[in-house]
Structures are given as C-alpha cells and as structure tokens.
Amino acid sequence: MLGLSGLARMAIQRGQLHFAFEIASQGVDRVERSGSLPPISTAAYGELGVVYYHWYQIEQAHTHFQRAIQVSTLSGYSDAEIYYAVILSRLLQMEGDLEASAREIHRAVALMQVDARAQIRGEVISQQVRIYLAQNRVAAAERALQGEGFSHKGDFSIPDLAPDQKISEPDGLLYNSALRILLYQAQTRREPSSLRPGIELADRLIAETLRRQYIPIALETLLLRAQMHAVLGNDQANLANVVRALELAEPEGFITIFVEEGLPVAEALAVLVEQDQFGTVQPGYVENILATFSSPQPSAKKESAAVIEPLTDREMDVLRLMAEGLKYEEIAERLFISLNTVRSHVKAIYGKLNVNNRTKAIEMARQLRIL
C-alpha cells in the first residue's frame, strides 16, 4: 500500500492522471477485499479523489475524499480533512458562494498544524489567496504570502530563485499565488506595466516545472501567463498560452483546472473555437471544457455534512455482528460483554450513522464502505 500510494502521488504530481487512477484503484481494491483499513489507505482514497476532481467528476471526488477522511481520522492524521476542505472551498468558489468558500478555507487553516507537510501548506495558502482576491481583499492575500518570503509592497520581491534552483511542487503553488496577486493588481489598478516581472517569473516557472514534469503546476502558470498577456493587450500571446495548456492537458483529460480560472479562460476558449485555432488539440476536448463552464455546478454545500464521526473498533465489531443477523444477546456472548454494553454501542452506532434501526445502519455502513 505504501508503494502504491507513493507511486500514485508521483503520477499526480506529473499529471499522469490515468496511471495514478490505475495505481490508486489497485490499492483501494486490495484494502476493500481485505476488509481492513490500514492508515496508509487514506492516501489511496485521497489520490482517487484528486484524479476525479481534475476530471471534473465531482460526485466521485466527494465520495473518495470522504472515505479518505474517515480512514485518516481513525489513524489520527488530518491531512485528508485539510485537503478536502481546500477542494470544497474551490468548488464553492466556482459556484459563486464566496462566503461558504471562505468558511471552508478557514476550517483548513484551523486544522493545519504548524508542522503540517509543505504540500498541504502550499495548497491551503494558494486557496487562501484565491479567496481573498475574489473578495477584493488584496492586502489579506499579500499577508498570506508574506510569511513565505513574498512581498508585493514597492518592488515585487520573491524568495531567491537561483538560475539552477529546482522548484518543488509546493514552491510552484506559492509562486503561482504571487502571480495571481500581480495579475489582480494590474487588472484593478490599470497598471499593466507591473506585469513585466510577473511574466518573467512565469517564463522561469513554466520552463522549470515542465523540465521536472510538474504538469498541473505548469498548466496553472500557463493560464496565468495567458491572462497577463490579455491584460497587456497581447491577444495572440494570450491564445497561444491557452493552446499550449490544452496540448499539455488533453492526453490526461484535465478539465477543472481550466474552469477554476473562470471567465477570462472561458472567453479565450470560445475564441479558439470560433477561429478554429486549437493546433493539434481535438475540438471535442475544448468543447467539453466549455460545456463544463456553462453546466450547473454539482453542489458542494451538502457534501461537507456527509462526513461521519468514525466508529470505534468495538462499535465496528458490534456492527459486523449485527450485519450477520445476530441478536443483542448473541452479540454480548460473542464479544464477552454485557447486554447493556451492546445496547450502548448500538445507540452510539445509530447516532454516528444518523439512523434509527438496524436495517438502516447496515445499509448506511455499506454505502460508506465500512462494511
């Protein structure tokens, strides 16, 4: 499981969504056949959730993230819940519900410990910046990056980036966040000249992330650079960057990364369709992305309430015996506990699963894949 999970994570970093899906699915299948939930299995469920999210298969993404949270909570880790809060925040932002989106990212910040993994910190800070800018709180967005060594006061400054320095995936998320702030400032202050250092940074980021095959980061940077060129009035460069992103994204079926950028990218895609300028990209792929922009967004609001409090080991023992059809007295005898203790466990099970009888408890447990 550890090997499969690590391989799937590396595949996602490099944008190899189909390979990641295959590997993570193998891990999940093994876990579910075994009937056990080792802590490392949370990663496999989470990685499937990430792949489904990139493919804009939102319901499947929710299902797998919720499963990852259940396993991670049992094992005492919070990474899955933090990442899911980031995903919910992104979905709610795409729906236009900034208030609910902000609540989710605040929840992620509250869950994130000081020693949280760099990857999780990068994801949380990146979404914080997106939300603050959507709320027109540019100062708050700048403060979110100050602790990471970025400054937008006076001359734009970033953590030292040597010509031969290797950029990690979390670094890429933070540098892209800095580019977002520059783009916002140029759009709102009508100062396109301020984008020059941003385009130079984007050029270096794209070259390095493509060299290291961090395709999701490169896609985001390309779409940001496209919008910068649009602000500068360079329409051809804008479209060329979007086409390059499409060429990189099409083999693995990325969709959500385009939708997250909103109207500017949708307008560029529409122009490409009208002018038939996709290069080697299949028109159907572009039309599929455009259709996603205009389709109703799957609601993220109801999903966050679906996460249940995990059952204890003893409650799981009782639940399994209930599913076998044993009566309370037989369960007590099998587990060497009193009848009143069985009743207490059953009450707790019903409360956690939000049901009121044995049949519904078993049905809900199977829906959640804990039976």
Side-chain angles (χ1 to χ4, degrees):
M1 278 300 302
L2 182 62
L4 289 173
S5 173
L7 189 56
R9 179 61 195 154
M10 289 173 61
I12 289 172
Q13 287 178 332
R14 286 158 177 74
Q16 299 171 340
L17 300 184
H18 292 97
F19 183 51
F21 180 82
E22 177 184 346
I23 295 300
S25 294
Q26 287 182 29
V28 167
D29 288 345
R30 290 184 184 185
V31 167
E32 294 184 350
R33 284 200 306 269
S34 73
S36 65
L37 289 173
I40 190 59
S41 64
T42 189
Y45 284 107
E47 284 147 5
L48 281 177
V50 172
V51 171
Y52 280 124
Y53 179 77
H54 281 309
W55 285 341
Y56 204 76
Q57 297 180 22
I58 303 304
E59 295 299 332
Q60 294 94 323
H62 280 309
T63 298
H64 286 84
F65 279 125
Q66 289 166 11
R67 187 62 164 152
I69 290 170
Q70 182 190 37
V71 179
S72 69
T73 304
L74 287 169
S75 61
Y77 296 104
S78 60
D79 282 4
E81 190 171 1
I82 295 171
Y83 193 80
Y84 186 41
V86 173
I87 293 295
L88 283 174
S89 180
R90 290 179 184 174
L91 289 170
L92 288 160
Q93 184 177 3
M94 284 190 283
E95 291 178 15
D97 191 342
L98 291 182
E99 184 178 348
S101 180
R103 282 200 301 270
E104 287 299 329
I105 202 62
H106 291 327
R107 185 164 69 90
V109 172
L111 289 167
M112 185 173 64
Q113 301 300 316
V114 174
D115 59 348
R117 291 189 302 116
Q119 177 63 34
I120 295 294
R121 284 186 57 80
E123 293 284 358
V124 172
I125 293 170
S126 173
Q127 181 58 15
Q128 274 187 298
V129 169
R130 288 176 187 249
I131 290 299
Y132 287 141
L133 295 180
Q135 295 173 326
N136 299 315
R137 299 173 59 195
V138 65
E142 292 173 358
R143 285 196 297 272
L145 282 179
Q146 280 178 1
E148 308 301 322
F150 294 84
S151 175
H152 292 77
K153 302 295 184 185
D155 293 335
F156 174 58
S157 64
I158 61 175
D160 185 35
L161 191 60
D164 59 346
Q165 180 178 335
K166 295 180 180 180
I167 299 174
S168 68
E169 185 184 14
D171 289 339
L173 290 168
L174 296 176
Y175 283 117
N176 277 340
S177 296
L179 293 179
R180 283 193 187 281
I181 295 176
L182 282 179
L183 177 60
Y184 177 89
Q185 291 174 334
Q187 290 169 328
T188 56
R189 298 175 184 174
R190 312 288 185 184
E191 298 175 357
S193 60
S194 64
L195 287 176
R196 299 299 179 186
I199 289 178
E200 292 176 5
L201 174 58
D203 292 345
R204 297 171 66 185
L205 279 174
I206 291 166
E208 176 63 14
T209 52
L210 287 178
R211 188 181 71 82
R212 293 176 65 81
Q213 297 184 334
Y214 291 152
I215 301 302
I217 302 295
L219 289 174
E220 183 182 356
T221 314
L222 278 164
L223 294 175
L224 287 168
R225 190 171 70 176
Q227 294 172 73
M228 291 180 186
H229 280 299
V231 172
L232 291 169
N234 192 341
D235 294 337
Q236 285 304 310
N238 170 24
L239 296 178
N241 277 272
V242 175
V243 169
R244 180 59 178 141
L246 289 167
E247 290 171 345
L248 288 171
E250 182 185 26
E252 299 295 336
F254 284 90
I255 290 180
T256 307
I257 199 162
F258 293 92
V259 181
E260 286 178 328
E261 296 302 323
L263 185 59
V265 169
E267 290 175 343
L269 291 172
V271 171
L272 291 173
V273 170
E274 181 181 347
Q275 298 180 359
D276 192 18
Q277 293 185 10
F278 327 111
T280 61
V281 178
Q282 293 297 313
Y285 175 58
V286 182
E287 291 166 359
N288 187 24
I289 298 173
L290 276 172
T292 304
F293 273 101
S294 59
S295 65
Q297 305 284 349
S299 178
K301 299 173 187 176
K302 63 183 180 182
E303 300 295 341
S304 58
V307 180
I308 66 162
E309 181 184 351
L311 303 184
T312 66
D313 290 343
R314 182 56 87 187
E315 287 164 357
M316 283 300 305
D317 291 337
V318 172
L319 181 61
R320 292 189 189 98
L321 295 177
M322 289 169 62
E324 292 177 15
L326 273 65
K327 298 177 181 178
Y328 289 180
E329 292 84 355
E330 294 170 322
I331 294 173
E333 183 178 348
R334 181 79 66 88
L335 298 178
F336 302 100
I337 57 179
S338 71
L339 183 58
N340 283 337
T341 301
V342 172
R343 291 194 177 104
S344 295
H345 286 316
V346 171
K347 182 179 179 181
I349 291 168
Y350 288 175
K352 291 179 179 181
L353 297 180
N354 195 25
V355 297
N356 56 15
N357 61 54
R358 177 192 295 241
T359 301
K360 290 181 179 178
I362 295 168
E363 180 183 348
M364 178 60 72
R366 286 173 175 157
Q367 287 179 7
L368 293 170
R369 293 180 167 181
I370 59 177
L371 269 185

